[in-house]
């Protein structure tokens, strides 16, 4: 035996291997801790800390304390943290890289908590999308409060201009009318025409020669009358145009002050663009915080999907490859049951999970499910959140979650504090419901957050903040429409709310009330100018109307006289009778 | 390294059993040609330490075959892939896949399986060849070798002094 066995070598081997095994068993906790921290940091994109890891061998389980995932977007905060986690799993499966956790308990889960020191972000971390910094928008809003003086300066009061224009128009029209008036025949001349026509028509020609003479005389007279009638018609047209222009100008002058006042009031409104984001500034960070809890399920799912995508390995002849003979169709990663305890301000919430995996085809197509069902408490009347997701070769990744929250009593809390402006929610009742779907890793959906019995308080030195603080107390209820979209690992939020419209209306009314006195003075001044202008223009219009009437009268008379046909003149009484019939009398 | 080479020469020239040296070369081949961090290499190491084979020969063979493995890896990959993809063997591979111990042996890795099978196939050839080489060396090459001029030169070097020191301690001779 001694010729074959080298006892010192055998003993050395046993000692070394046994020592190594003992070392691994003794320091399993720190070794697993280092491995987990390294792997999770890579997956998270930023530092992951685990305070301690304890490995129990029978039954095989891993206990972790104080797990913190740094938020790569904001390294001062944790994306998620848990005070304790315990996973019971199959040892031999774990040894060959198959994670089959039968029972997982995670307690003290919280989102967005501040870290003791900022976590390191990996250099190769690439953010999925540009974050929307609600706080930054407050500075970007540049809410401009218009002053009455400023508004008057840039409001281009148009009444004086309209008056000037009316007067200039009148002068132009007056010149045209006067020019036409110069060619207008005198009244005496018209009367003379009448007398001569009457004389001709009343004459009693006794013979054809006399009749021909009279006819020729009438034709000659009518030629003169036609010339004068042209001048009369030109005068009438000019007068009509002048009257039309002057009437329109007078209407414009009378309407100008009201239009100016309306314009001034419209300029005293707050800017629509800046006001449309005010609800986002006030409630955006809070909604984002609430959404983190709402979308927490997807934070668990995200890394798993990443893992499933990472599985493909490029084969190399120099490195070889592992060939998969997994015909038993057991999932590589499965958590049969998990209970997560979420820490909320002043209370806890329990969330139950089942069948967490990314290989749902291997568990008979059963989806992963999660649900929170909380009975009525002092914090809410009803709270339910549930969802499911499944990843299959045929349909890809599909999932959805729905929530319904009723009667959440929001306690006093700070909404934001920046640049001396502090906004606080003194209290409110929150109701919310909605649904979010996932397809191919992309989220879409949203919900409504209805706030009732709202009590808001805002303080600040800025002028807009003072106005806002005066009106914000009048807000009693509003709705916020939350829209969620984008990749699952970095969802984008957008917020629309009727709060903006309410605030804009109230702030504008407040501003308008401040300006009432000055606007009244402006109105009085403009009305006085208009009165002076109309006092001058009204008589001129009447004068024009008189001239127009006179011109029309001349035109009528000339028209009557020209209606006599020379050929109708006849011998004897016949002509007189006909003429009388023609001219009516 | 020089010391280890000197010890190998000593073993070659001494009364060490040719089989002890031949098996050292065989086990060194396993260690060198197969991926180092494999569970089966723990068994090889166990055999190398606990059996009375020549450790210097084992280590030098291991180093030599490790260099050779870089050239042969694509061949091992091809062998492993052919075996793992063979439909006749598939039931066995599938059954082994559910066995954690088999998985720890990384049987489904192409180069690991290919190199191990290669070594198993080559062992029946390599062991007698190594034995024959050692015997031949001792009977013919040694005498011819000592007559060579450069050997005479080497005898005056530091390496030879070290070799003699080792030989002297262990009572060996050239």
């Amino acid at each position: 035996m001694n010729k074959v066995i080298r006892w010192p070598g055998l003993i050395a081997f046993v000692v070394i291997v046994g020592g190594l095994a003992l070392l691994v068993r003794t320091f399993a906790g720190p070794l697993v801790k280092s491995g987990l921290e390294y792997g999770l940091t890579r997956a998270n994109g930023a530092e992951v800390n685990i305070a301690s890891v304890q490995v129990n061998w029978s039954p095989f389980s891993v206990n972790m304390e104080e797990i913190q995932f740094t938020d790569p977007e904001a390294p001062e905060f944790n994306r998620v943290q848990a005070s304790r986690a315990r996973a019971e799993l199959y040892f031999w499966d774990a040894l060959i890289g198959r994670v089959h956790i039968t029972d997982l308990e995670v307690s003290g889960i919280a989102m967005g908590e501040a870290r003791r020191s900022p976590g390191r972000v990996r250099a190769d971390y690439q953010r999925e999308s540009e974050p929307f910094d609600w706080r930054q928008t407050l500075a970007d809003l540049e809410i401009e409060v218009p002053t009455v003086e400023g508004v008057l300066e840039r409001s281009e009061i148009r009444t004086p201009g309209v008056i000037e224009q009316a007067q200039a128009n009148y002068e132009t029209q007056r010149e045209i009318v006067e020019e036409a008036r110069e060619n207008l025949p005198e009244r005496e001349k018209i009367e003379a025409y009448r007398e001569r026509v009457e004389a001709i028509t009343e004459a009693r020609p006794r013979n054809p020669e006399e009749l021909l003479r009279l006819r020729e005389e009438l034709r000659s007279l009518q030629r003169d009358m036609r010339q004068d009638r042209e001048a009369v018609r030109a005068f009438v047209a000019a007068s009509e145009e002048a009257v039309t222009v002057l009437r329109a100008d007078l209407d414009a002058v009378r309407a100008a002050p009201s239009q100016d006042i309306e314009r001034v009031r419209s300029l005293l409104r707050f800017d629509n663009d800046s006001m449309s984001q005010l609800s986002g500034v006030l409630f955006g960070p809070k909604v984002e915080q609430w959404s983190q809890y709402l979308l927490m399920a997807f934070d668990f799912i995200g890394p798993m999907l990443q893992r499933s995508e990472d599985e493909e390995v490029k084969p190399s002849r120099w490195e070889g490859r592992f060939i998969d003979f997994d015909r038993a169709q057991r999932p590589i990663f499965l958590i049969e049951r998990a209970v997560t305890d979420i820490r909320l301000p002043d209370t806890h919430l329990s969330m139950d999970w089942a069948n967490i995996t990314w290989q749902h085809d291997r568990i008979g197509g059963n989806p992963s499910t999660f649900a929170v069902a909380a009975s009525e408490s002092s914090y809410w009347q009803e709270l339910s959140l549930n969802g499911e997701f499944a990843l299959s070769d045929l349909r890809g990744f599909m999932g959805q979650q729905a929530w319904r929250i009723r009667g959440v009593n929001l306690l006093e809390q700070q909404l934001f504090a920046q640049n001396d402006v502090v906004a606080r929610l003194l209290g409110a009742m929150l109701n919310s419901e909605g649904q979010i779907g996932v397809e191919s890793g992309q989220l879409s959906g949203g919900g409504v957050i209805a706030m009732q019995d709202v009590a808001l308080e805002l303080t600040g030195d800025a002028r807009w903040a003072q106005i806002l603080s005066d009106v914000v107390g009048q807000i009693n209820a509003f709705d916020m429409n939350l829209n969620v979209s984008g990749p699952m690992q970095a969802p984008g939020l957008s917020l629309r709310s009727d709060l903006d419209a309410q605030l804009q209306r109230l702030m504008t009314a407040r501003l308008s009330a401040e300006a009432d006195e000055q606007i009244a003075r402006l109105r009085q001044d403009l009305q006085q100018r208009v009165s002076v202008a109309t006092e001058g223009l009204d008589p001129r219009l009447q004068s024009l109307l008189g001239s127009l009437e006179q011109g029309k009268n001349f035109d009528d008379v000339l028209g009557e006289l020209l209606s006599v046909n020379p050929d109708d003149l006849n011998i004897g009484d016949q002509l007189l009778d006909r003429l009388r019939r023609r001219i009516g009398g | 390294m020089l010391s280890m080479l000197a010890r190998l020469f000593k073993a070659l020239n001494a009364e060490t059993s040719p089989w002890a040296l031949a098996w050292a070369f065989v086990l060194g081949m396993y260690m060198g040609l197969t991926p180092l961090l494999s569970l089966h290499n723990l068994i090889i190491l166990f055999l190398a330490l606990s059996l009375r084979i020549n450790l210097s020969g084992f280590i030098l063979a291991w180093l030599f075959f490790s260099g050779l493995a870089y050239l042969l890896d694509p061949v091992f990959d091809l062998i492993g892939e052919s075996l793992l993809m063979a439909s006749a063997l598939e039931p066995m591979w599938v059954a082994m896949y559910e066995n954690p111990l088999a998985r720890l042996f990384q049987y489904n890795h192409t180069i690991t399986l290919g190199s191990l099978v290669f070594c198993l196939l080559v062992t029946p050839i390599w062991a007698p060849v190594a034995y024959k080489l050692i015997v031949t060396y001792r009977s013919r090459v040694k005498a011819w070798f000592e007559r060579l001029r450069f050997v005479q030169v080497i005898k005056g070097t530091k390496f030879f002094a070290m070799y003699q020191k080792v030989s002297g301690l262990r009572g060996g001779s050239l």
Side-chain angles (χ1 to χ4, degrees), chain A residues 96-115:
Chain A
I96 57 173
R98 184 182 272 155
V99 179
H100 188 156
I101 298 172
T102 52
D103 215 348
L104 174 71
E105 288 172 26
V106 188
S107 60
I109 294 174
M111 311 275 182
E113 297 281 317
R115 290 174 60 86

Side-chain angles (χ1 to χ4, degrees), chain A residues 540-557:
Chain A
R540 288 169 187 167
L541 177 64
Q542 294 308 318
S543 168
L544 275 173
L545 284 169
S547 301
L548 178 62
E549 193 60 33
Q550 184 190 12
K552 281 182 177 174
N553 193 24
F554 283 5
D555 187 46
D556 289 345
V557 171

